[in-house]
Amino acid sequence: MPPKISTQQRRARLAVRHHLAAPAATVEDAVAGVVALHATDPATVHLSACARLAAPAIASVEQALYEDRTLLRLLGMRRTVFVTGLDTAALVQAGCSADIEVKQRKLLEQHLGQQGHPENVPEPAKWLRDVEASVEAALRARGSATAQQLSEDEPRLRQQLLMAAGKPYEAIGNVTSRVLFLLAAGGRIARGRPRGSWISSQYVWHPLDSWVPGLPAWDAEEARAELARRWLRAYGPAPASDLRWWTGWTAGQTKKALAVVKPVEVDLDGVPGLLLADDLEPVPPSPPWVAFLPALDPTAMGWQERDWYLGAHRPALFDRSGNVGPTIWLDGRVVGGWAQRASGEIAFRLLEDVGSEASVLVEAEADRCAGWYGEVRAVPRFRTPLERELTA
């Protein structure tokens, strides 16, 4: 019979490996512990990293991202932007981003040929290749550039598409962001420092090979196997379906990757799960701990099946698209939510009785969180019911 792994053991593992009960000394260690930080909302990167650092500081995150460049922001799993260490970025590029680029290229070519405005683009595949080459050349000539600057250098980026014609949500827009999306997904350009503060998403673009020279090239199947191994180290034990959801792979890609990794099957309270063969030793429980994790934090978004740490709190803490808001964690499970008010105050609500001792820990963590936020106000890009209530 497969070995049994209790819910308590799963919670003990995430406490340590995600640097929630055992804070990380460096930003790089904090990121490696969860494999990748969600970066769709730029504030999440900094808040998630700081929640895992012994000495949280936005400056430390920016140092790693833009000065030392030991971290890279790139499009990856599930067509989502993440921040990872460089070795993991190479795996994501080969194992996830390359497939996304192929699919999105076909879609954009179709739209250019059928939904161009005021007229369709003839030979859309050739047109797109020409525009991409021109944009990349312009970027290399400048060294770095904003999307606006690149559209000035290559006016064809202003080509328009008419989307959802005749529908109430009909829209006309330029292809600028979609062309840059393809160049980024193809590993040709990278997002550098944003214009403005750390909560801005107006990035300055750079050629990837000048921003982070020497990023290794991986075979796609080998990259997927190594990425699966890292995910299982950070998020295992878990069902294979969680890995497939997190990566955005097909069933076939997931099966091939796991065939290389050869994980052990375990029993997760009656549900089949997977764990690395060299990772069967139990992790000791940590002393009581509390964490205030931001919207889209990788721990809250790390599994598709979330009942074992989320309980009945999904309606209050997730939006309708499946995006999580700010959450309060106690010893490996979600017990409430929080928000930053315009005054800077950290408001929170516990969604269950945690007892007086744990309540004291929650109060202390709210104060600590407010302290390193300082004067910055960061409203989550995806608002959730409880977060809205707390800031009303």
Side-chain angles (χ1 to χ4, degrees):
M1 292 181 63
K4 293 186 177 182
I5 306 291
S6 69
T7 296
Q8 288 303 114
Q9 176 59 201
R10 296 182 78 183
R11 293 172 180 171
R13 286 170 180 261
L14 78 82
V16 175
R17 297 183 181 184
H18 292 200
H19 294 290
L20 299 175
T26 69
V27 177
E28 292 82 3
D29 287 344
V31 175
V34 291
V35 184
L37 300 179
H38 278 257
T40 304
D41 186 336
T44 298
V45 173
H46 300 79
L47 300 179
S48 289
C50 285
R52 292 167 167 82
L53 289 172
I58 296 300
S60 298
V61 184
E62 293 192 311
Q63 177 79 23
L65 277 168
Y66 310 126
E67 303 300 330
D68 300 337
R69 299 181 191 174
T70 50
L71 303 176
L72 180 66
R73 182 181 277 107
L74 78 164
L75 183 108
M77 295 71 73
R78 307 189 310 281
R79 206 152 53 92
T80 298
V81 180
F82 287 88
V83 163
T84 76
L86 298 189
D87 55 343
T88 300
L91 302 175
V92 172
Q93 180 60 49
C96 301
S97 309
D99 278 357
I100 294 169
E101 190 266 350
V102 170
K103 294 173 184 175
Q104 292 302 307
R105 177 177 298 280
K106 290 180 180 177
L107 185 60
L108 181 53
E109 289 173 357
Q110 177 185 342
H111 289 164
L112 287 166
Q114 299 176 5
Q115 293 167 241
H117 180 79
E119 56 187 27
N120 294 331
V121 174
E123 299 185 84
K126 179 180 183 301
W127 182 93
L128 184 54
R129 288 194 300 271
D130 289 347
V131 172
E132 286 178 296
S134 175
V135 169
E136 191 172 3
L139 180 58
R140 290 189 181 279
R142 284 182 177 267
S144 64
T146 63
Q148 176 63 36
Q149 290 171 326
L150 291 171
S151 66
E152 292 170 0
D153 293 343
E154 175 44 87
R156 287 179 292 180
L157 282 178
R158 300 192 185 111
Q159 166 67 42
Q160 294 184 320
L161 298 176
L162 174 60
M163 305 302 293
K167 302 288 180 63
Y169 46 90
E170 175 184 301
I172 297 173
N174 294 347
V175 300
T176 307
S177 62
R178 293 182 66 177
V179 173
L180 295 178
F181 176 103
L182 289 180
L183 287 168
R188 296 159 70 180
I189 67 175
R191 298 163 181 83
R193 186 187 291 273
R195 301 178 68 189
S197 75
W198 55 273
I199 62 175
S200 169
S201 58
Q202 296 183 1
Y203 299 107
V204 176
W205 293 93
H206 300 256
L208 177 64
D209 56 11
S210 66
W211 184 250
V212 285
L215 201 67
W218 279 75
D219 168 79
E221 290 191 2
E222 291 177 354
R224 284 192 281 269
E226 179 58 25
L227 190 58
R229 188 176 288 109
R230 294 188 185 197
W231 185 86
L232 280 169
R233 184 76 63 188
Y235 295 90
S241 55
D242 281 354
L243 171 63
R244 182 184 174 188
W245 172 81
W246 187 85
T247 56
W249 294 337
T250 65
Q253 289 173 331
T254 306
K255 185 176 180 180
K256 281 186 177 181
L258 291 172
V260 175
V261 175
K262 295 182 173 62
V264 174
E265 185 171 308
V266 296
D267 179 354
L268 305 176
D269 291 331
V271 176
L274 300 175
L275 189 59
L276 293 176
D278 63 353
D279 194 23
L280 293 172
E281 288 298 315
V283 173
S286 301
W289 61 272
V290 167
F292 277 48
L293 299 184
L296 296 178
D297 186 83
T299 298
M301 295 291 290
W303 299 267
Q304 184 180 35
E305 173 49 58
R306 301 173 177 134
D307 289 350
W308 62 277
Y309 63 87
L310 184 61
H313 305 320
R314 183 186 301 267
L317 299 173
F318 281 75
D319 70 8
R320 293 180 179 178
S321 299
N323 300 303
V324 70
T327 50
I328 301 173
W329 289 68
L330 170 65
D331 299 337
R333 61 192 177 90
V334 176
V335 297
W338 62 279
Q340 184 194 40
R341 291 179 173 159
S343 64
E345 175 194 1
I346 300 299
F348 65 86
R349 182 182 302 165
L350 293 172
L351 297 174
E352 58 186 76
D353 183 3
V354 299
S356 58
E357 292 185 6
S359 295
V360 171
L361 293 177
V362 171
E363 291 275 4
E365 187 62 19
D367 290 341
R368 190 182 85 97
C369 189
W372 61 257
Y373 252 113
E375 298 300 316
V376 172
R377 303 292 177 264
V379 178
R381 181 167 294 186
F382 303 104
R383 308 295 298 279
T384 50
L386 183 55
E387 189 272 335
R388 286 182 181 276
E389 286 182 33
L390 292 172
T391 54

